[in-house]
Amino acid sequence: MNPLEIKTSYGWRVGCLAALGLCFVLPFLASAVYTVVIGEPEKIVVPLVVALVALVVFSLPILVILGAKRDSVRRFDQWGVHCHNGRSFPWQDFQGVREVVSRGRGGSFINNYDLYFRTGKVPVYFRVAKNEADVMRAIGALQAGFIPWLPPRA
């Protein structure tokens, strides 16, 4: 099987969070500027604090998303699994696949898959992959105990 590059798309998630954050931050920054313009600079503290809190609250999920991407699988090939952070795990160390299930009010769902190796584990975030069908085929083969990138044994 040819190497499989996981083509991820985090842009819309980060963009939506950034736009939503700006919707909360900009009005309070405008309010802070307005208090200075009308000559009441002592009232600037509240809008600036609220704008800063909103900025922090909406920045944290963006950092979490980008941090998760950094640790996730970037490529499967005949040598093993390669991550976005530069780490690689050879197939000789592969031990198995585990579903990571999240629970919500609507029930439970598979959030991602963890690939276990002797030297660590690597998450596969299939929902953000543009080539989700190829990724799921690869995960299915790995769950069945078959590594499609290795030559068949005689």
Side-chain angles (χ1 to χ4, degrees):
M1 183 175 194
N2 291 331
L4 174 61
E5 189 87 25
I6 299 179
K7 298 174 180 82
T8 55
S9 173
Y10 290 91
W12 71 272
R13 287 172 173 80
V14 171
C16 287
L17 280 170
L20 191 60
L22 285 176
C23 288
F24 281 91
V25 171
L26 288 179
F28 288 105
L29 286 178
S31 176
V33 170
Y34 179 71
T35 58
V36 171
V37 170
I38 63 170
E40 298 176 355
E42 65 277 358
K43 294 182 180 179
I44 197 171
V45 173
V46 172
L48 279 182
V49 168
V50 172
L52 184 63
V53 167
L55 187 65
V56 168
V57 165
F58 285 99
S59 296
L60 287 177
I62 292 173
L63 294 174
V64 168
I65 288 171
L66 295 176
K69 176 189 178 194
R70 183 171 158 70
D71 294 334
S72 67
V73 172
R74 178 180 53 87
R75 177 183 169 96
F76 296 100
D77 62 18
Q78 68 276 5
W79 187 85
V81 173
H82 307 278
C83 302
H84 287 279
N85 62 8
R87 290 185 67 193
S88 295
F89 298 89
W91 288 122
Q92 293 82 359
D93 294 345
F94 181 67
Q95 294 177 328
V97 180
R98 194 187 112 225
E99 297 174 346
V100 177
V101 178
S102 294
R103 290 166 186 37
R105 282 188 280 165
S108 59
F109 61 94
I110 298 171
N111 186 48
N112 64 288
Y113 292 92
D114 282 342
L115 304 180
Y116 284 88
F117 295 86
R118 271 188 247 143
T119 55
K121 72 175 181 174
V122 185
V124 178
Y125 297 107
F126 64 95
R127 293 186 191 280
V128 294
K130 292 179 184 175
N131 54 344
E132 183 178 348
D134 295 334
V135 173
M136 290 309 298
R137 260 192 303 280
I139 293 295
L142 292 173
Q143 283 178 320
F146 173 67
I147 301 174
W149 297 275
L150 294 180
R153 296 181 183 158

